[in-house]
Amino acid sequence: MEWMSFLSSTIWGKCEQKCTSLSFLLLNLLEETLPESYEDLVHYEKIVSLAKSFEVELETMGLVNNVYGKVLTPYVKDIEDHIAQKQRTNLLAKAREILIGDYLSSIVVEDETEKCSLDNILSQNDENVSLNPPSRRTTKRNGKNEINANVCDFFVLPTMRVSVCATKIVELVHDTMAEATKCTSAARAGVLYGTCRDILELFRILTPVVNRVDLEIPKVAMQLHNDCLYISQHCLTMAHIYRRNFPRSLSDRIVTVDQVPLLRDLGDKVFRDQVRQKKRQIEETFSSSNYYELESEAEDVLEMLQSSTKECLKIIKDVSSQWNVLPVEAFDSALKTLKTEVLRLVIEVLTLQNQNFRPTSDLQILQLRSLLKDVLTETTAADNENAEKVKQIISILTPTLTGSILKDEIAYGNLSNLTESEQKGLCSFLFSN
């Protein structure tokens, strides 16, 4: 008996004695052959049966006793939990592989083809939809339907270009949620649900870090904005799609909408930083010209203003070809901000109270008028207030303009969109006296 006890401790040992422990070697074998999905568990049953039989035989021989205990039977007893943990590890590894891979490849997405589409959800789950809104494509006749139409529009994914990486992450999360709904074990379903949330968090944390160099490219930066919007749009409805098929003990705790503000905050930050950077570049373009030099001649002022506006408009043109990955509304908003800034700076130059344009000929007045008209044409869709100011300035720039006529124009309210300070500055700019 002592010999058998010694043999048990030497050969069977404890799991902590890893390299020399038979139990560890067998456990390692069980872990390596563990199926990656619940569907394959049926093929694993033979291995489970052999492991149990082997341990029973060892116990009969006295090689498994109360001191060392069984290790294979408890492991296979919780086989579903082990499969869930293995799935979790593999899924997170797959998500990481996607996130550190190619981020430059992109694809156009549309609402109609996405799982988050409200129409798709309604068609799949008509009886369980609490909103039961009318189709957003139907003409609305009363206030109540118009409110529901706005609710529908909130769930519409705008057409835009996103990274292939983002689409793979969304697909992976959807597939994992679908897998979780097939689980008979609430614990396993909970592990897969938690894995989905971790994948979303991995995207938020890893993407800006891994792609920090590529994100210096305006197009790629705005693509990240789109990715955040795209994934957040799926998070709006994802829990609703799968919740009712989860085990009852979990169904009330399945939530993805809390990920929406986190993702959108990241996207909005990238968007604002890009617009702020280009806006600063436009400001620096104007500030580099010495408009405050009192000895500047009219030709110099015209040349500086023309050069500054031309360079700023080129910045807008270049960036528009980079930002065209954005949804239409976001794209228009970004360009409007830059165009408004150009008009603001032009007005600022024209209303500098310590700067005299001092035109020496009617031609220079006409040149200034032509320049402002060109700027106005190139900055369509800019802020209406600044555009109206430029229009009013253009309207008074005639070859016959004198200080007295300008005074009358102001009195008649033809420069009413300009503030009193701007009116004084314009007078000082055009006429030294």
Side-chain angles (χ1 to χ4, degrees), residues 283-344:
E283 290 174 348
E284 290 173 353
T285 299
F286 267 83
S287 63
S288 63
S289 299
N290 195 3
Y291 292 108
Y292 291 91
E293 180 58 54
L294 294 177
E295 299 303 320
S296 298
E297 297 294 333
E299 291 182 1
D300 297 331
V301 175
L302 272 174
E303 185 178 343
M304 284 189 292
L305 187 59
Q306 188 172 24
S307 175
S308 298
T309 55
K310 184 177 180 180
E311 187 172 345
C312 289
L313 293 174
K314 183 179 183 302
I315 291 173
I316 294 176
K317 183 178 180 181
D318 291 344
V319 82
S320 65
S321 65
Q322 295 281 321
W323 290 354
N324 60 5
V325 298
L326 289 167
V328 173
E329 186 176 345
F331 177 77
D332 291 344
S333 174
L335 289 191
K336 179 179 180 179
T337 300
L338 299 186
K339 291 176 179 180
T340 299
E341 183 64 10
V342 172
L343 287 184
R344 186 190 71 80

Side-chain angles (χ1 to χ4, degrees), residues 159-172:
T159 300
M160 58 187 171
R161 184 170 288 276
V162 301
S163 68
V164 174
C165 166
T167 62
K168 288 181 178 179
I169 288 295
V170 165
E171 183 180 3
L172 181 63

Side-chain angles (χ1 to χ4, degrees), residues 162-291:
V162 301
S163 68
V164 174
C165 166
T167 62
K168 288 181 178 179
I169 288 295
V170 165
E171 183 180 3
L172 181 63
V173 174
H174 271 289
D175 289 346
T176 305
M177 289 287 275
E179 175 77 11
T181 62
K182 301 174 184 177
C183 297
T184 56
S185 165
R188 178 169 172 256
V191 170
L192 293 180
Y193 163 65
T195 303
C196 290
R197 295 179 61 86
D198 289 340
I199 290 172
L200 295 172
E201 187 172 356
L202 271 179
F203 174 84
R204 286 192 295 107
I205 294 173
L206 280 185
T207 305
V209 176
V210 172
N211 303 289
R212 59 184 178 277
V213 175
D214 289 334
L215 289 174
E216 294 178 4
I217 304 171
K219 184 173 184 177
V220 180
M222 288 308 195
Q223 183 175 282
L224 175 57
H225 162 271
N226 291 357
D227 286 351
C228 292
L229 179 59
Y230 171 69
I231 298 176
S232 70
Q233 202 70 18
H234 276 268
C235 289
L236 276 175
T237 56
M238 188 180 296
H240 176 78
I241 294 173
Y242 299 103
R243 180 185 292 122
R244 69 189 181 96
N245 294 322
F246 268 79
R248 183 167 298 182
S249 60
L250 282 179
S251 59
D252 291 339
R253 290 182 284 169
I254 303 302
V255 178
T256 53
V257 72
D258 62 323
Q259 298 294 313
V260 173
L262 300 175
L263 288 161
R264 290 190 174 176
D265 283 348
L266 173 59
D268 288 344
K269 181 181 182 302
V270 173
F271 180 86
R272 291 194 301 270
D273 287 348
Q274 274 293 303
V275 175
R276 192 182 299 115
Q277 180 183 338
K278 293 304 174 182
K279 188 176 177 181
R280 188 184 305 117
Q281 189 176 348
I282 288 173
E283 290 174 348
E284 290 173 353
T285 299
F286 267 83
S287 63
S288 63
S289 299
N290 195 3
Y291 292 108

Side-chain angles (χ1 to χ4, degrees), residues 12 81 125 148 224 238 310 318 365 400:
W12 193 238
D81 293 339
N125 193 20
N148 283 337
L224 175 57
M238 188 180 296
K310 184 177 180 180
D318 291 344
I365 288 285
T400 59

Side-chain angles (χ1 to χ4, degrees), residues 35-226:
E36 295 185 4
S37 67
Y38 185 76
E39 287 75 10
D40 296 331
L41 184 57
V42 64
H43 305 298
Y44 193 68
E45 288 296 335
K46 185 176 181 180
I47 297 176
V48 171
S49 178
L50 288 172
K52 288 180 179 179
S53 301
F54 179 69
E55 196 164 48
V56 168
E57 190 169 344
L58 287 175
E59 188 177 25
T60 303
M61 295 171 60
L63 294 177
V64 177
N65 54 40
N66 295 332
V67 177
Y68 300 105
K70 296 181 180 180
V71 292
L72 302 183
T73 302
Y75 180 84
V76 296
K77 181 181 180 181
D78 299 324
I79 197 68
E80 282 199 17
D81 293 339
H82 296 310
I83 292 176
Q85 291 299 330
K86 184 171 184 178
Q87 279 185 308
R88 171 182 169 79
T89 301
N90 292 341
L91 287 168
L92 292 177
K94 185 175 181 179
R96 181 181 179 278
E97 184 180 351
I98 293 172
L99 293 172
I100 64 175
D102 175 28
Y103 190 69
L104 300 181
S105 299
S106 60
I107 187 174
V108 175
V109 293
E110 297 178 338
D111 182 68
E112 289 76 7
T113 60
E114 293 297 317
K115 291 180 181 178
C116 65
S117 167
L118 193 59
D119 287 344
N120 290 340
I121 296 172
L122 290 174
S123 64
Q124 294 172 7
N125 193 20
D126 285 335
E127 296 178 358
N128 295 278
V129 175
S130 58
L131 287 176
N132 195 25
S135 172
R136 61 176 174 269
R137 299 179 179 85
T138 303
T139 302
K140 310 303 180 293
R141 297 296 183 185
N142 55 64
K144 184 176 180 180
N145 280 351
E146 287 175 1
I147 293 174
N148 283 337
N150 291 333
V151 171
C152 287
D153 290 340
F154 179 73
F155 289 93
V156 176
L157 177 73
T159 300
M160 58 187 171
R161 184 170 288 276
V162 301
S163 68
V164 174
C165 166
T167 62
K168 288 181 178 179
I169 288 295
V170 165
E171 183 180 3
L172 181 63
V173 174
H174 271 289
D175 289 346
T176 305
M177 289 287 275
E179 175 77 11
T181 62
K182 301 174 184 177
C183 297
T184 56
S185 165
R188 178 169 172 256
V191 170
L192 293 180
Y193 163 65
T195 303
C196 290
R197 295 179 61 86
D198 289 340
I199 290 172
L200 295 172
E201 187 172 356
L202 271 179
F203 174 84
R204 286 192 295 107
I205 294 173
L206 280 185
T207 305
V209 176
V210 172
N211 303 289
R212 59 184 178 277
V213 175
D214 289 334
L215 289 174
E216 294 178 4
I217 304 171
K219 184 173 184 177
V220 180
M222 288 308 195
Q223 183 175 282
L224 175 57
H225 162 271
N226 291 357

